[in-house]
């Protein structure tokens, strides 16, 4: 019997950890709470600094993960309990009812077309709607629909039943219950990733009150050819192409009162987005309001230089004081202070503003860590207290990779994820 | 007659918004040998793959052409679908109509569509002539080689040994530890670098599976993943070892800023590493000015070296503790993440002075009656200020090792323009080289913090352990072979082969070229070098390539008036 490992979180860190651990011959159970693996990387349009298409490089890994003989996917599932100690941990997984017989659903999508209930689409960051029965995105793995029980009329009101009528595979099961699975795991990997800080909590940034203020992740979706505007850069208020765009860095982050830390990736993704928008609207002018331009990775400073010289991106070191809707509903007035021996305030109008909010440990990760009995640091990331073993949590046999431990970019997450496999192999060799 | 299936991918809007996918599919259906031509929204999605698999079975296809994105990321996926449906995976041909058509010709949809048709026609004509290949398997030597005995190499060695793998660690210097030997404490906390180093060295020395070779350099390497033979020069003695995988952990060096900011001429001006050494010797630093980005983030050496700001923050705090004043003259403070940003805040709160400069007006360092002086234009204040200092610390970037070119050549792995090693993919394969069985970690790849280096070392150790734990590797099938009837034994191929995979041998009384298939990487150089058309490469034979060209010319002739 091969030893088992439970990996929590199906983003790029969790996927890579699964692949390497599985390649070492262990049996891996991947627990992902949404209906598909892929995580945040699946939502990105391109990746810095090479502008590789994000989904294009991710989706082969997702499929490899699903097809690997040593990997078992538990999507739409959560870890509900953990007991025991390394190397004899017991993990209870709740597979939430999808109300779909997975072995029957072919992912044809007939049910989605006919479903009458419209819900804001989380994958599209609320920029479009999805149905109550849905596939989160076209490349979803597994490619099986899910019924959102909270919104399904048949489940909430016993009225409708359209999806069941149209499903030729007979896959719809309104009565389906959650199921519980217990795994005897030798080790656990936490790869729970990040969420965006809710920038609407900071009124001065205008998110929610100014229509043309969007988050950086919304812009990723807008720029994506598969996104809500089919890749056309249109501002929300009047669906016109913006000509003058502002990016605001460190929204909520590097702020002692909110998030004291730096999210590590925003300077670079804003630079990437400022280059990409110019490929969509060739004469667009972008300004990036920043505090320190942190371009510390391979090819990053060159990328910033290219944005500045080749794509005429204006880097302006200033932290805007307020954002307000311009005349009518369209456009945004940004008020900021000029740096350099003056305290002059200036107000400049932009067609659209992109906020780069601080990134926070994903919702629910705190409760999960309590369940796992592992410590958090003061910023609520998983604490990794051992210098020699920088991917070990405070509890033996529970490892961490990616953003769950501290803010980092994709390659650092992937390197750590592979590292987790080595660490597990070390630990298990010692008790073999 | 072959039975070819052609599958055109929309790639969502990526291809379909420019190239008329339906038109290409309709055209493909008319090509000789094609029994089915279909299109999918995302061929690589589960649904797309299933539909290809079903189509192969239903239409009894024996050749598959997918026109989609790039083989670099997606070829293994489509090959495996062919295999699942019972078609030898080498009977699959990939046509790239995204990078080569829709993306590059986004503004010319009709020409992009025409080009896509021609590329598909070429792919189909090649597919008709494809031949099945069998993949050999080879055993893996259950041992690894780690090059470099600094932090990265030590951690990788410790990991491999702890995983039960015989590991040879080679270090060119007489002692282990590399740059870590010169460091006082590990930022942002006050852990001693010596303690970490000693623990790692003890672990490696204490492991019966780890074999340390000091004063040793790699002199030669032959073989392939699972079966490498390395020649070492160990303190002047030649030694050969056999290993299954290799980790490059050769580290980096600090730039010596000769002639800049008074280095070498003004007393008290030192580099960061020299400063660390003075702290380690217990010298009192006094009033200290740090100048960031010396020799980096400027024309000639554009990159940011990632660790220098954080090192200055750490040392500035040490200066304060020792009773001196500390000023950091910088362009941007690169304290990314949680711990570094916290250290930045702490430094500000404790009284470290921060002055921002720009490349248009750089600080000036000169001798002064009472020591050293720095004149700098403070961008925030908008005025020029004067600072007296006992020490001026120049934060210079990490640069690649002098011998990295040599190591790269021996291992046949690439480096970037700065001399750092180039990983297989900057996003998703950070600790691997494109060459199978060779891995990379630490500052040999890019400047990285201690924690990052340790994580990467573990990552590389995992990757190196995988083939060894599996015990078998698959041998490349796309290799070259020489037709003995045409070969004149001229030796051009032998001279051109970068992998030393070809020899001239006596066969049936005739001298002919012979390719060692386990060593051949299928690069095709020998095929181009052969004047007699004797050298052929599987999957790219002259016949197959000629058929592609013929198809292109035929379509061009049909269209020209």
């Amino acid at each position: 019997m091969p030893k088992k490992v439970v990996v929590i979180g199906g983003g790029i860190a969790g996927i890579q950890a699964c692949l390497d651990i599985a390649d070492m011959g262990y049996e891996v159970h991947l627990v992902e709470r949404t209906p598909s693996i892929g995580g945040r990387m699946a939502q990105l349009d391109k990746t810095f600094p090479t502008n590789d298409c994000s989904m294009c490089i991710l989706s082969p890994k997702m499929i490899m993960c699903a097809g690997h003989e040593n990997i078992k996917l538990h999507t739409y599932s959560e870890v509900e309990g953990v007991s025991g100690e390394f190397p004899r941990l017991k993990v209870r997984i709740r597979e939430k009812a999808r109300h779909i017989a997975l072995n029957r659903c072919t992912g044809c999508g007939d049910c989605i077309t006919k479903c009458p209930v419209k819900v804001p689409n989380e994958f599209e960051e609320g920029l479009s709607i999805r149905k109550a029965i849905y596939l989160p995105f076209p490349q979803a793995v597994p490619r099986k629909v899910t019924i959102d029980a909270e919104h399904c009329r048949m489940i909430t009101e016993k009225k409708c039943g359209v999806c069941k009528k149209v499903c030729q595979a007979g896959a719809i099961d309104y009565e389906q219950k959650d199921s519980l699975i217990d795994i005897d795991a030798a080790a656990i990997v936490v790869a729970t990733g990040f969420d965006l800080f809710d920038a609407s909590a900071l009124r001065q940034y205008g998110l929610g009150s100014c229509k043309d203020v969007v988050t950086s992740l919304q812009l990723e979706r807008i720029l994506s050819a598969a996104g809500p505007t089919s890749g056309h850069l249109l501002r929300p208020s009047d669906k016109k192409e913006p000509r003058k765009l502002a990016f605001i860095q460190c929204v909520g982050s590097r702020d002692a009162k909110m998030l004291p830390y730096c999210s590590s990736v925003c300077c670079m993704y804003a630079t990437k987005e400022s280059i990409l928008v110019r490929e969509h609207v060739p004469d667009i002018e972008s300004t990036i309001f920043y505090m320190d331009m942190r371009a510390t990775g391979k090819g990053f400073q060159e990328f910033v230089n290219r944005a500045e010289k080749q794509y005429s991106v204006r880097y302006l070191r200033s932290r805007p004081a307020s954002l307000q809707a311009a005349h009518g509903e369209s456009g945004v007035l940004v008020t900021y202070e000029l740096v350099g021996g003056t305290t002059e305030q200036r107000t400049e109008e932009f067609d659209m503003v992109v906020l780069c909010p601080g990134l926070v440990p994903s919702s629910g990760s705190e409760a999960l860590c309590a369940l796992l009995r592992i410590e958090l640091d003061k910023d609520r990331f998983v604490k990794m207290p051992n210098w020699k073993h920088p991917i070990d949590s405070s509890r033996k046999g529970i490892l961490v990779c990616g953003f769950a431990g501290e803010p980092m970019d994709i390659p650092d997450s992937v390197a750590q994820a592979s590292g987790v496999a080595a660490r597990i192999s070390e630990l298990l060799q010692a008790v073999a | 007659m072959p039975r070819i299936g052609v599958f055109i991918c929309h790639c969502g809007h990526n291809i379909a918004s420019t190239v008329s996918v339906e038109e290409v599919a309709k055209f493909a259906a008319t090509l000789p040998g094609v029994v089915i031509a279909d299109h999918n929204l995302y061929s690589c999605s589960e649904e797309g793959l299933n539909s290809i698999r079903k189509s192969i079975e239903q239409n009894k296809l024996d050749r598959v052409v997918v026109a989609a994105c790039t083989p670099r990321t997606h070829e293994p996926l489509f090959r495996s679908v062919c295999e699942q449906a019972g078609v030898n995976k080498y009977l699959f041909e990939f046509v790239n109509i995204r990078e080569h058509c829709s993306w590059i010709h986004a503004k010319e949809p009709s020409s992009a569509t025409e080009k896509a048709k021609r590329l598909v026609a070429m792919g189909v004509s090649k597919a008709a002539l494809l031949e099945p290949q069998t993949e050999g398997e080879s055993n893996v030597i259950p041992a690894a080689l780690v090059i470099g005995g600094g932090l990265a190499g030590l951690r990788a060695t410790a990991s491999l040994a702890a995983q039960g793998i015989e590991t040879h660690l080679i270090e060119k210097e007489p002692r282990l530890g590399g740059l870590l030997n010169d460091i006082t404490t590990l930022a942002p906390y006050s852990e001693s670098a010596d303690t970490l180093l000693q623990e790692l060295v003890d672990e490696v020395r204490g492991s019966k599976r780890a074999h340390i070779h000091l004063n040793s350099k790699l002199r030669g390497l032959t073989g392939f993943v699972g079966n490498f033979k390395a020649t070492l020069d160990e303190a002047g003695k030649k030694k050969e070892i056999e290993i299954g995988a290799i980790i490059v952990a050769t580290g980096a060096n600090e730039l010596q800023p000769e002639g800049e900011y008074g280095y070498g001429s003004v007393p008290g001006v030192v580099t960061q590493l020299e400063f660390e050494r003075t702290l380690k010797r217990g010298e009192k630093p006094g009033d200290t000015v740090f100048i960031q980005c010396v020799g980096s983030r400027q024309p000639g050496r554009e990159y940011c070296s990632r660790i220098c700001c954080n090192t200055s923050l750490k040392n500035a705090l040490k200066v304060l503790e020792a009773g001196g004043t500390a000023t950091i003259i910088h362009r941007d403070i690169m304290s990314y993440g949680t711990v570094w940003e916290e250290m930045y805040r702490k430094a500000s709160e404790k009284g470290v002075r921060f002055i921002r400069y720009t490349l248009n007006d750089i600080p000036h360092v000169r001798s002064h009656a009472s020591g050293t002086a720095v004149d700098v234009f403070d961008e925030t204040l908008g005025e020029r200020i004067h600072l007296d200092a006992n020490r001026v610390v120049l934060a210079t970037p990490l640069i690649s090792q002098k011998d990295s070119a040599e190591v790269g050549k021996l291992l046949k792995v690439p480096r970037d323009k700065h001399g750092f090693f180039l990983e297989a993919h900057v996003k998703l394969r950070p600790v691997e080289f494109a060459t199978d069985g060779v891995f990379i970690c630490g500052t040999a790849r890019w400047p990285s913090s201690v924690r990052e280096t340790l994580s990467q070392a573990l990552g590389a150790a995992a990757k190196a352990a995988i083939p060894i734990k599996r015990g078998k590797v698959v041998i490349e099938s796309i290799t070259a072979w020489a037709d003995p009837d045409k070969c004149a034994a001229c030796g051009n191929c032998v001279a051109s082969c970068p992998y030393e995979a070809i020899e001239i041998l006596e066969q049936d009384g005739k001298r002919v070229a012979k390719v060692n298939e386990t060593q051949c990487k299928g690069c095709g150089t020998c095929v181009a070098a052969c004047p007699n058309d004797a050298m052929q490469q599987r999957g790219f034979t002259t016949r197959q390539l000629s058929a592609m060209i013929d198809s292109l010319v035929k379509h061009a002739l049909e269209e020209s008036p």
Side-chain angles (χ1 to χ4, degrees):
Chain A
M1 274 283 278
K3 289 230 162 61
K4 295 176 188 172
V5 177
V6 171
V7 175
I8 310 170
I12 182 61
I15 289 174
Q16 187 63 50
C18 283
L19 289 170
D20 288 328
I21 298 167
D23 274 348
M24 285 191 166
Y26 302 113
E27 182 181 316
V28 190
H29 292 260
L30 173 57
V31 184
E32 162 60 42
R33 68 176 167 185
T34 72
S36 170
I37 58 170
R40 292 289 175 200
M41 192 176 167
Q43 286 182 287
L44 306 182
D45 179 31
K46 304 274 162 71
T47 58
F48 61 78
T50 50
N51 290 351
D52 268 321
C53 157
S54 189
M55 184 57 96
C56 309
I57 58 177
L58 174 66
S59 94
K61 291 230 179 217
M62 291 164 62
I63 294 187
M64 271 159 69
C65 201
H68 200 295
E69 57 182 4
N70 291 347
I71 301 176
K72 168 92 177 76
L73 296 189
H74 303 269
T75 49
Y76 212 51
S77 301
E78 294 191 40
V79 168
E80 191 166 274
V82 179
S83 59
E85 292 294 335
F86 169 84
R88 275 175 292 277
L89 293 152
K90 257 197 194 323
V91 181
R92 172 161 286 189
I93 299 168
R94 177 177 291 271
E95 289 194 330
K96 294 176 281 185
R98 274 175 199 258
H99 301 286
I100 298 296
L102 284 188
N103 54 352
R104 293 194 170 182
C105 174
T106 64
C108 71
D110 287 348
C111 53
I112 300 172
T113 320
K114 292 286 190 284
C115 174
V117 183
K118 292 175 180 174
V119 183
N121 188 331
E122 307 86 345
F123 185 79
E124 301 294 355
E125 291 293 310
L127 293 171
S128 68
I129 54 105
R130 63 161 170 85
K131 299 294 184 64
I133 187 164
Y134 69 109
L135 195 64
F137 50 95
Q139 301 90 334
V141 171
R143 196 188 154 82
K144 308 284 178 188
V145 298
T146 300
I147 292 180
D148 167 357
E150 203 186 319
H151 294 99
C152 169
R153 271 186 210 157
M154 193 61 193
I155 293 173
T156 55
E157 303 166 28
K158 303 275 173 224
K159 279 185 256 179
C160 187
V162 168
C163 53
K164 190 162 190 165
K165 273 178 222 138
V166 298
C167 179
Q168 295 187 350
I172 311 286
D173 177 3
Y174 299 117
E175 306 304 321
Q176 194 177 59
K177 297 275 176 287
D178 292 0
S179 53
L180 295 174
I181 295 169
D182 289 319
I183 311 273
D184 291 314
I188 299 172
V189 179
V190 180
T192 45
F194 66 88
D195 282 340
L196 265 61
F197 164 76
D198 178 12
S200 63
L202 293 171
R203 292 262 178 94
Q204 69 268 33
Y205 287 114
L207 187 68
S209 58
C210 304
K211 280 197 170 169
D212 292 330
V213 174
V214 299
T215 69
S216 49
L217 201 50
Q218 287 178 323
L219 183 65
E220 292 284 341
R221 296 314 306 151
I222 292 170
L223 293 175
S224 169
T229 55
S230 300
H232 296 293
L233 176 57
L234 305 172
R235 66 175 178 184
S237 68
D238 54 8
K239 307 279 181 278
K240 279 188 185 154
E241 269 187 4
R243 302 280 149 167
K244 202 174 168 204
L245 192 62
F247 292 86
I248 298 177
Q249 302 305 107
C250 304
V251 171
S253 56
R254 300 190 69 196
D255 177 344
K257 291 194 202 86
M258 306 301 295
L259 310 168
Y261 57 88
C262 159
S263 299
S264 292
V265 296
C266 327
C267 283
M268 293 316 298
Y269 77 60
T271 294
K272 171 198 73 181
E273 288 174 356
S274 73
I275 288 176
L276 293 178
V277 293
R278 219 171 154 85
E279 283 167 6
H280 290 249
V281 181
D283 57 352
I284 198 166
E285 290 171 9
S286 291
T287 301
I288 298 181
F289 289 91
Y290 74 104
M291 292 167 64
D292 291 278
M293 186 40 55
R294 292 179 172 168
T296 62
K298 201 171 204 168
F300 290 6
Q301 185 65 50
E302 289 91 330
F303 195 53
V304 170
N305 294 349
R306 192 149 62 97
E308 197 164 11
K309 295 197 182 95
Q310 228 170 301
Y311 293 85
S312 310
V313 175
R314 178 171 65 142
Y315 285 89
L316 198 66
R317 202 161 58 74
S318 179
R319 193 167 195 163
S322 72
L323 275 69
Q324 285 169 311
H327 25 79
E329 291 209 305
S330 297
V332 187
L333 296 171
V334 178
T335 302
Y336 61 95
E337 211 164 83
L338 282 177
V339 184
T342 78
T343 48
E344 189 194 326
Q345 272 214 347
R346 195 180 268 192
T347 298
E348 196 172 332
E349 185 175 343
F350 292 90
D351 296 335
M352 185 172 165
V353 173
V354 181
L355 303 182
C356 300
L359 304 176
V360 296
S362 64
S363 69
S365 64
E366 224 171 308
L368 175 70
C369 292
L371 210 64
L372 295 170
R373 288 188 281 126
I374 56 175
E375 291 169 31
L376 301 177
D377 67 17
K378 63 177 185 45
D379 298 312
R380 322 314 291 162
F381 292 97
V382 179
K383 191 169 182 173
M384 296 175 288
N386 188 331
W387 260 98
K388 211 167 110 199
H389 305 301
I391 50 180
D392 287 24
S393 75
S394 55
R395 202 170 153 207
K396 191 169 183 186
I398 302 187
L399 292 308
V400 190
C401 58
F403 223 101
E406 71 185 295
M408 65 179 69
D409 62 9
I410 294 169
D412 283 355
S413 301
V414 170
Q416 272 199 343
S418 295
V420 157
R423 190 70 189 120
I424 286 176
S425 168
E426 285 178 16
L427 290 168
L428 293 182
Q429 183 77 26
V431 295
Chain B
M1 193 67 184
R3 296 182 61 80
I4 305 173
V6 182
F7 303 92
I8 321 274
C9 182
H10 291 237
C11 195
H13 295 272
N14 274 300
I15 292 171
S17 66
T18 305
V19 170
S20 168
V21 171
E22 292 80 2
E23 199 180 320
V24 178
K26 210 179 282 173
F27 164 80
T30 67
L31 294 166
V34 174
V35 291
I36 172 94
D38 202 354
H39 52 96
N40 296 102
L41 184 58
Y42 289 100
S43 300
C44 64
S45 66
E46 270 196 20
E47 187 189 32
L49 296 172
N50 280 335
S51 95
I52 294 174
R53 187 164 38 229
K54 273 187 203 140
S55 183
I56 294 173
E57 285 158 3
Q58 280 165 7
N59 298 296
K60 299 191 170 49
L61 302 178
D62 59 15
R63 301 281 192 285
V64 175
V65 176
V66 170
C69 54
T70 163
R72 279 195 62 184
T73 55
H74 282 61
E75 189 170 68
L77 203 59
F78 294 120
R79 277 181 165 182
S80 77
V81 166
C82 291
E83 269 187 327
Q84 287 161 19
V87 173
N88 182 282
K89 70 183 190 182
Y90 292 92
L91 298 175
F92 165 76
E93 181 66 14
F94 210 131
V95 179
N96 186 339
I97 59 166
R98 191 182 67 184
E99 278 84 342
H100 295 177
C101 298
S102 65
W103 279 0
I104 194 77
H105 306 299
K107 305 265 182 288
E108 303 147 281
S110 70
S111 308
T113 302
E114 280 313 307
K115 184 173 171 185
K117 286 190 202 167
R118 288 181 199 183
L119 292 178
V120 167
M122 289 166 77
V124 167
S125 55
K126 182 183 173 191
L129 300 174
L130 286 175
E131 288 157 358
Q133 308 290 345
T134 49
E135 282 177 341
E137 250 187 8
S138 163
N139 289 328
V140 175
I141 296 165
L145 169 66
V146 177
I147 308 170
L151 178 66
L154 282 168
R155 188 62 186 93
T157 304
S159 179
L160 288 166
Q163 293 181 61
I165 295 166
E166 297 294 324
T167 308
H168 296 272
L169 170 64
I170 62 170
E171 166 56 49
K172 64 183 174 186
E173 302 291 335
R175 67 167 180 180
L176 295 169
L179 290 185
L180 205 57
N181 283 300
D182 294 327
I183 311 276
T184 53
T185 56
L186 304 170
Y189 309 113
S190 43
E191 259 85 354
S192 142
D194 285 344
T195 309
L196 173 68
L197 181 54
Q198 200 53 51
E199 274 183 33
L200 276 173
V201 169
D202 287 349
E203 186 175 341
V204 170
R205 286 201 189 281
S207 165
K208 61 178 193 292
R209 299 206 188 274
H211 311 282
I212 302 169
H213 307 266
L214 296 175
N215 299 303
S216 297
K217 286 189 117 178
L218 181 69
R219 286 291 179 220
L221 184 81
T222 56
F224 55 97
V225 56
N227 293 273
F228 292 110
K229 189 178 277 179
T231 309
L232 310 180
D233 174 337
E234 185 167 1
K237 267 190 243 143
K238 197 176 137 185
K239 194 171 219 171
E240 287 206 331
I241 54 171
E242 294 190 337
I243 62 264
I246 299 168
I247 293 177
V248 178
T250 48
N253 244 319
E254 185 188 49
L255 173 75
Q256 300 299 302
E258 297 306 338
E260 285 195 73
Y261 297 97
Y263 186 74
S265 58
V266 177
V269 180
V270 293
T271 67
Q272 188 80 260
L273 215 48
E274 288 163 352
F275 186 57
E276 287 269 356
R277 288 186 203 118
T278 68
L279 293 174
K280 209 162 183 178
R281 285 196 298 268
E283 289 178 25
K284 283 250 173 210
D287 296 340
T288 309
V289 173
F290 297 83
I291 302 177
Q292 301 305 117
C293 301
V294 172
S296 64
R297 299 182 72 207
Q298 52 191 274
R301 196 178 293 104
E302 276 185 283
Y303 66 89
C304 160
S305 172
R306 190 171 176 102
I307 60 169
C308 341
C309 282
N310 299 329
T311 310
S312 290
L313 288 169
K314 176 195 77 169
N315 285 339
L317 283 164
K318 278 193 188 305
V319 169
L320 294 190
E321 276 167 30
T325 65
T327 307
I328 298 180
I329 303 178
H330 67 99
R331 288 166 58 200
D332 292 280
I333 290 289
M334 303 295 188
S335 54
Y336 59 91
T338 48
V339 290
W340 306 126
E341 183 69 12
E342 189 189 355
M343 195 167 64
Y344 181 21
R345 174 166 298 108
K346 201 162 125 192
S348 308
E349 285 166 6
K350 293 210 163 169
V352 175
R353 184 172 180 188
F354 291 90
I355 298 174
R356 199 182 286 260
Y357 77 99
T358 65
L359 273 184
N360 300 327
D361 197 345
I362 63 169
H364 181 65
V365 180
R366 59 187 164 84
S367 297
H368 189 261
S370 60
T372 314
V374 182
D375 301 305
V376 58
F377 183 80
D378 184 329
E379 199 207 31
T380 313
L381 293 175
E383 61 188 49
R384 192 165 304 279
I385 55 170
H386 169 93
L387 300 160
D388 286 320
N390 300 103
R391 283 225 186 267
V392 174
V393 178
L394 305 182
T396 58
L398 285 183
I399 55 170
S400 57
Q401 295 279 17
K402 276 197 199 77
D403 59 2
S404 71
E406 198 187 318
V407 174
K409 214 170 153 190
L410 283 171
L411 298 171
K412 300 184 182 80
V413 293
R415 297 178 311 138
D416 68 14
K417 65 177 173 180
H418 305 296
F420 291 107
F421 286 104
L422 196 59
E423 58 272 46
H425 190 281
V426 292
K427 258 344 208 196
L428 294 184
R429 297 176 70 190
V431 296
E432 298 165 75
F433 281 112
T435 308
D436 290 337
V438 190
F439 307 96
I440 172 78
C441 58
T443 53
R445 172 185 158 267
W446 193 250
S448 50
S449 72
V450 167
R451 291 175 72 101
E452 289 159 358
T453 300
L454 289 169
S455 296
Q456 286 171 26
L458 284 168
K463 293 289 186 189
I466 287 169
I468 293 171
K469 287 192 156 213
R470 291 170 82 96
K472 292 248 190 276
V473 286
V474 171
I475 297 168
E476 177 64 55
S477 298
I478 299 300
T479 51
W481 90 96
D483 180 344
D485 295 336
K486 290 183 181 169
C487 178
C490 70
N492 279 3
C493 54
V494 178
S496 70
C497 177
Y499 303 101
E500 293 171 33
I502 312 174
E503 291 175 281
I504 304 285
L505 294 174
E506 192 85 19
Q507 191 183 320
D508 304 330
K510 189 188 171 219
R511 279 165 58 75
V512 291
K514 182 98 180 116
V515 179
N516 177 347
E517 288 178 12
T518 55
Q519 236 155 303
C520 174
K521 300 275 175 221
C523 71
T525 312
C526 59
V527 182
C530 177
N532 298 322
D533 204 25
M535 200 55 91
Q536 293 290 328
Q537 175 147 306
R538 295 180 175 86
F540 298 89
T541 61
T542 307
R543 211 173 140 234
Q544 289 161 354
L545 300 183
S546 299
M548 293 173 81
I549 296 167
D550 287 347
S551 126
L552 181 66
V553 172
K554 183 172 156 264
H555 287 282
L557 288 177
E558 278 169 5
E559 277 161 29
S560 61

